[in-house]
Amino acid sequence: MRNLLPILALAALALPVQAQDMFDPRPSASFVDELRIGLNAHDVDTTLVPFNFGNWKLNQIEDISFDVLFVSPDIDAFRWIGAPRPEVGATINFDGQDSIAHAGLTWQLPLFDTPVYLEGTLGAAIHDGYLTGAPAGRKNFGCRVNFYERFGVGMHLSDQATATLTYEHTSNNGWCSANDGLSNFGLRLGWKF
């Protein structure tokens, strides 16, 4: 399954491209709003809302994240929910631990008339980890597909560049027998089009 995760992530990136081309005659690059790459500390906490920062494990900086954020569709349903940007991405662990691929919707809220913003993402993630019976140091995710949430604070460094400090979490909310949560913390750098 570990070798399959990068292939699934690339396939997920291609699907919106094909769907967009069918309905929009604009050049294919015009629907991508931002590309991001990041470096993350792996498994800093197990909870969705990280209240106890003193217990965070920040010594495992071994994840790289890739995200593609698309332009919010110009339809009433998306405007009604705040014009989120659809996104797909992956967080890949390079130390033999758990990696995820995700898809979701990302909302961004500017803080007054400053380059600073708050951000939130809700969606789903698939992982290459164990459902149950994980060896020591690994997670029992319970379900193959789990909820995905990401929160962050960022800054527009220029018209084309962003930097976002993020906390991402995936778990199944108790829907499966096991529910070890995975939370990563890191910095994502973005390039806007």
Side-chain angles (χ1 to χ4, degrees), residues 47-68:
T47 61
L48 169 61
V49 182
F51 288 118
N52 196 350
F53 299 110
N55 290 338
W56 278 21
K57 300 178 291 182
L58 296 173
N59 61 338
Q60 295 182 44
I61 300 175
E62 55 196 32
D63 290 355
I64 293 191
S65 59
F66 302 95
D67 304 295
V68 179

Side-chain angles (χ1 to χ4, degrees), residues 22-189:
M22 291 187 310
F23 300 108
D24 190 351
R26 293 181 293 175
S28 60
S30 65
F31 65 91
V32 173
D33 188 46
E34 186 175 358
L35 295 177
R36 291 182 178 173
I37 185 168
L39 188 61
N40 304 284
H42 183 80
D43 192 22
V44 297
D45 199 8
T46 59
T47 61
L48 169 61
V49 182
F51 288 118
N52 196 350
F53 299 110
N55 290 338
W56 278 21
K57 300 178 291 182
L58 296 173
N59 61 338
Q60 295 182 44
I61 300 175
E62 55 196 32
D63 290 355
I64 293 191
S65 59
F66 302 95
D67 304 295
V68 179
L69 290 92
F70 300 95
V71 174
S72 183
D74 188 21
I75 56 177
D76 287 339
F78 269 73
R79 283 189 293 274
W80 186 77
I81 62 172
R85 295 183 291 173
E87 82 159 65
V88 294
T91 300
I92 301 167
N93 180 272
F94 287 100
D95 192 38
Q97 296 187 50
D98 307 303
S99 297
I100 60 173
H102 70 271
L105 297 175
T106 297
W107 287 263
Q108 201 171 83
L109 176 67
L111 288 181
F112 308 106
D113 193 20
T114 71
V116 178
Y117 56 84
L118 300 177
E119 187 171 273
T121 301
L122 298 174
I126 187 169
H127 62 86
D128 65 350
Y130 292 86
L131 299 181
T132 59
R138 296 292 301 272
K139 299 284 185 176
N140 290 305
F141 285 99
C143 301
R144 181 62 57 200
V145 177
N146 289 314
F147 293 102
Y148 177 83
E149 305 89 17
R150 187 177 71 234
F151 307 99
V153 60
M155 178 178 282
H156 294 283
L157 303 175
S158 71
D159 288 343
Q160 288 79 35
T162 64
T164 311
L165 200 59
T166 63
Y167 180 85
E168 70 179 352
H169 176 78
T170 184
S171 65
N172 64 48
N173 196 34
W175 288 15
C176 295
S177 58
N179 185 28
D180 287 346
L182 173 66
S183 298
N184 304 314
F185 177 74
L187 178 67
R188 285 168 157 86
L189 299 177

